[in-house]
């Protein structure tokens, strides 16, 4: 029983159901197979909101591959998996501790679950202008201050920094706090000994993988993993929450794509491809080390190329690589640039980036602009209260210390610097001023 086999060997049927394209491209031939597989929950095709056969088996297979208690397929991105995970655990007014560098979808989940949120500031690296890991001593002492239902964090971070999940899971267990790790960017960790252990292997209660970010699957494919050792919740609790947020027309092509992705990564060929990518990346880095290019290495996911070039700002480097070489990065700041790789990255692409990086000229006596980090949020209202409250529009210069009704979220990385319910601080106004002037 496999979703792949089901869709590849479909018996001929005359289907009078949605979708209206009738499993054939109406406008363009490009996505022929996608159309062929795009059916609804036909009789015998199983149902993502209550899986009993093909989907159940495929999920069980993937759960076995990841060594989880239960894994759910999600066809609406890691966002929906995050909404469902948090909604399952957090009841209205439960206190939760949340790392501030979480993706905006975590904030959406906090609004929808009516959580009482305290923010936890991760460590920062001023020389690179990035958030880094979760300090475990600080976490332990913070968790002791309140009865926190859950701690929600991201590892690897958007920039690729891994925290010590093993230690964090121990601390959370001792404090009776559920650990949710947004591991959207770490979907390949399960498939190579050269990569860090997965959050679930290290003891996280719940983790979320996005499969399009590094694992080569289509956009919106994601997995929600539940640890075997989480006893407080039933798998059906997570299914019910997923059913709250998930469309009633889940995409079969995406479900098939999830199963194909994991079967490939779990095969000899898939593992070989990850090894070969890691080796290409090592060679890429070695070739650049004496060319003025420095890589961020500490506790870092080597597949995310976070680099800076001596004598040129990250923003300028990004601009030159795009304008002159048509190479687009994922993110850049005043210091560094982030280039994502994944299972589909070929050596030729790395070589192109390498040659361009070598050619970029650097200025003598150049100094990086100092990185600025957001202050600790000054929370005045719970996110759900502020979100639905009456509000009015003001000039930003008159808004110092007012409570924000809206959010400021630079994208990428999709990490909020101001959320509804938080007091507007001088730092935010300066940030807006600077950003609007740049735009
Ligand atoms: C850390 C992190 N978590 C979650 C998400 C949301 O993922 P998706 O776009 O698959 O919903 C993102 C997206 O960029 C992300 O960077």
């Amino acid at each position: 029983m496999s979703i792949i086999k089901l869709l590849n060997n479909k018996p001929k049927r005359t289907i009078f159901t949605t979708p209206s394209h009738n499993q054939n491209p109406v406008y363009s031939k490009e996505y022929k197979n996608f159309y062929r597989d795009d059916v609804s929950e036909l009789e015998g095709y199983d149902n993502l909101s209550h899986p009993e056969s093909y989907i159940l088996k495929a999920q069980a297979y993937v759960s076995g591959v990841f060594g989880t208690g239960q894994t759910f397929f999600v066809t609406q991105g890691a966002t929906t998996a995050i909404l469902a995970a948090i909604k399952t655990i957090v009841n209205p007014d439960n206190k939760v501790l949340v790392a501030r560098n979480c993706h905006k979808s975590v904030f959406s989940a906090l609004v929808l679950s009516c959580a009482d949120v305290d923010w936890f500031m991760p460590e920062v690296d001023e020389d690179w202008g990035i958030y880094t890991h979760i300090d475990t001593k600080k976490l332990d002492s913070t968790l002791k201050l309140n009865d926190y239902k859950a701690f929600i964090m991201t590892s690897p971070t958007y920039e690729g920094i891994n925290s010590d999940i093993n230690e964090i899971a121990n601390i959370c267990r001792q404090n009776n706090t559920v650990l949710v790790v947004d591991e959207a960017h770490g979907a390949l960790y399960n498939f190579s000994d050269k990569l860090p252990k997965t959050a679930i292997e290290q003891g996280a209660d719940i983790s979320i993988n996005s499969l399009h970010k590094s694992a080569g699957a289509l956009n919106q494919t994601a997995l929600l993993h539940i640890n075997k050792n989480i006893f407080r919740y039933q798998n059906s609790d997570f299914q019910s929450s997923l059913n709250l947020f998930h469309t009633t027309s889940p995409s079969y092509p995406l479900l098939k794509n999830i199963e194909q992705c994991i079967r490939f990564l779990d095969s000899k060929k898939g593992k070989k491809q990850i090894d070969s990518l890691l080796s290409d990346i090592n060679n890429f880095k070695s070739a650049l080390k004496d060319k003025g290019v420095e890589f961020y290495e500490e506790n870092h996911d080597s597949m995310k190329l976070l680099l800076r070039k001596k004598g040129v700002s990250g923003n300028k480097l990004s601009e030159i690589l795009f304008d002159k070489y048509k190479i687009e990065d994922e993110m850049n700041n005043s210091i560094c640039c982030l280039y994502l790789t994944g299972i589909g990255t070929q050596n030729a692409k790395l070589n192109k980036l390498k040659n361009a990086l070598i050619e970029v000229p650097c200025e003598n006596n150049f100094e990086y602009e100092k990185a600025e980090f957001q202050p600790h949020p000054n929370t005045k209202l719970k996110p759900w209260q502020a979100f639905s409250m009456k509000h009015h529009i003001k000039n930003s210069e008159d808004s110092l210390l007012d409570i924000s009704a809206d959010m400021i979220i630079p994208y990428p990385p999709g990490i909020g610097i101001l959320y509804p319910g938080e007091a507007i601080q001088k730092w935010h106004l300066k940030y807006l001023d600077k950003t609007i002037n740049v735009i």
Side-chain angles (χ1 to χ4, degrees):
M1 258 198 193
S2 145
I3 303 170
I4 304 170
K5 282 193 187 139
L6 167 73
L7 292 175
N8 282 351
N9 306 310
K10 273 200 316 268
K12 273 215 163 9
R13 285 192 196 179
T14 308
I15 302 171
F16 285 94
T17 64
T18 58
S20 58
H21 52 61
N22 207 27
Q23 288 69 59
N24 257 309
V26 183
Y27 318 110
S28 148
K29 299 276 175 234
E30 268 173 57
Y31 295 104
K32 202 163 186 297
N33 289 344
F34 202 99
Y35 276 89
R36 191 200 61 197
D37 293 340
D38 194 30
V39 291
S40 292
E41 291 98 331
L42 298 171
E43 197 54 44
Y45 274 58
D46 210 2
N47 188 319
L48 186 63
S49 59
H50 187 71
E52 289 180 323
S53 55
Y54 295 98
I55 297 172
L56 188 73
K57 277 263 158 105
Q59 290 188 153
Y61 159 70
V62 173
S63 165
V65 170
F66 281 84
T68 66
Q70 170 80 37
T71 292
F72 297 94
F73 289 9
V74 180
T75 63
Q76 282 170 196
T79 294
T80 296
I82 287 169
L83 296 181
I86 295 175
K87 183 72 185 157
T88 305
I89 292 158
V90 181
N91 292 320
D93 284 332
N94 280 173
K95 265 215 162 293
V96 289
L97 187 65
V98 185
R100 184 61 175 201
N101 61 338
C102 280
H103 182 257
K104 69 194 268 285
S105 52
V106 170
F107 183 81
S108 309
L110 297 171
V111 170
L112 293 168
S113 55
C114 302
D116 182 0
V117 185
D118 283 348
W119 294 102
F120 185 88
M121 301 310 276
E123 300 306 293
V124 297
D125 187 323
E126 293 188 353
D127 293 337
W128 287 76
I130 55 166
Y131 283 114
T132 59
H133 63 288
I134 298 296
D135 182 290
T136 47
K137 279 204 180 101
K138 242 199 266 176
L139 175 67
D140 193 26
S141 51
T142 312
L143 286 179
K144 290 202 161 43
L145 297 176
N146 272 299
D147 189 13
Y148 288 110
K149 191 74 178 277
F151 175 54
I152 303 159
M153 60 172 289
T154 305
S155 182
T157 63
Y158 180 78
E159 297 87 356
I161 285 86
N162 296 293
S163 284
D164 183 352
I165 301 295
N166 195 22
E167 180 61 12
I168 292 170
N170 285 336
I171 291 169
C172 286
R173 216 169 297 121
Q174 283 154 18
N175 288 282
N176 201 24
T177 301
V178 178
L179 174 60
V180 182
V181 180
D182 176 356
E183 198 185 40
H185 291 269
L188 291 183
Y189 284 9
N190 190 57
F191 301 98
S192 169
D193 295 340
K194 298 182 182 106
L195 294 170
K197 284 199 157 71
T198 67
I200 290 285
E201 275 179 291
Q202 294 187 68
D205 295 302
I206 296 166
S207 76
I208 293 101
N209 287 153
S210 168
L211 294 178
H212 72 259
K213 294 194 197 308
S214 58
L218 287 164
N219 266 329
Q220 298 188 25
T221 53
L223 299 174
L224 170 60
H225 300 297
I226 315 299
N227 199 316
K228 286 187 184 108
N229 304 325
I230 182 165
F231 299 116
R232 281 178 273 187
Y233 304 91
Q234 312 273 337
N235 289 334
S236 57
D237 297 337
F238 292 98
Q239 182 69 68
S240 300
S241 298
L242 277 165
N243 293 352
L244 268 187
F245 298 113
H246 217 288
T247 166
T248 50
S249 313
S251 163
Y252 278 82
L254 293 186
L255 290 174
K256 177 178 174 182
N257 191 246
I258 292 174
E259 190 183 337
Q260 283 173 323
C261 169
I262 303 304
R263 284 191 186 279
F264 174 72
L265 295 175
D266 193 35
S267 68
K268 267 196 188 142
K269 203 170 162 200
K271 289 186 172 139
K272 213 167 132 199
Q273 194 155 324
I274 297 176
D275 275 352
S276 136
L277 170 69
L278 292 171
S279 142
D280 290 346
I281 287 172
N282 271 340
N283 295 337
F284 167 85
K285 288 182 173 172
S286 307
L288 286 165
K289 275 194 176 142
D290 60 352
K291 304 280 191 251
V293 179
E294 194 186 347
F295 291 90
Y296 193 95
E297 306 276 12
E298 204 181 337
N299 300 325
H300 196 251
D301 173 356
S302 51
M303 285 179 301
K304 287 178 170 259
L305 308 172
L306 184 62
L307 57 90
R308 59 187 184 188
K309 172 139 189 183
K310 229 183 185 163
V312 54
S313 78
N315 303 128
K316 186 75 195 166
L317 179 62
S318 165
E319 195 183 304
I320 297 173
L321 289 196
F322 185 71
D323 289 348
K324 186 156 175 210
Y325 303 92
K326 297 285 163 270
I327 297 176
E328 190 163 350
D329 55 53
E330 167 72 19
M331 186 266 323
N332 58 83
N333 66 21
S334 60
I335 300 163
C336 57
C337 293
L338 177 64
Y339 296 88
L340 296 189
T341 70
I343 190 77
T345 305
Q346 287 173 345
N347 206 21
K349 194 162 124 181
L350 290 173
N351 281 334
K352 187 174 173 198
L353 176 59
K354 179 182 73 188
N355 294 335
L357 283 166
I358 292 172
E359 279 179 24
V360 172
C362 46
E363 288 170 35
N364 290 328
N365 304 325
F366 170 86
E367 287 203 12
Y368 292 112
E369 197 183 303
K370 219 172 140 19
E372 288 185 20
F373 295 90
Q374 61 171 299
H376 197 294
N378 181 358
T379 306
K380 299 289 186 192
L381 290 170
K382 291 173 194 160
W384 68 268
Q385 290 172 319
F387 192 79
S388 49
M389 201 167 253
K390 263 201 160 167
H391 58 272
H392 60 272
I393 293 172
K394 261 182 152 179
N395 286 332
S396 58
E397 57 268 29
D398 302 325
S399 66
L400 185 65
L401 297 182
D402 281 350
I403 300 174
S404 178
D406 209 340
M407 350 189 161
I408 306 178
I409 306 183
Y411 214 103
I415 294 169
I417 57 172
L418 183 72
Y419 282 124
E422 295 175 358
I424 298 165
Q425 306 185 45
K426 248 191 206 151
W427 187 91
H428 298 117
L429 299 179
K430 236 173 84 189
Y431 174 89
L432 276 183
D433 217 27
K434 197 168 150 194
T435 317
I436 288 164
N437 282 340
V438 169
I439 292 167

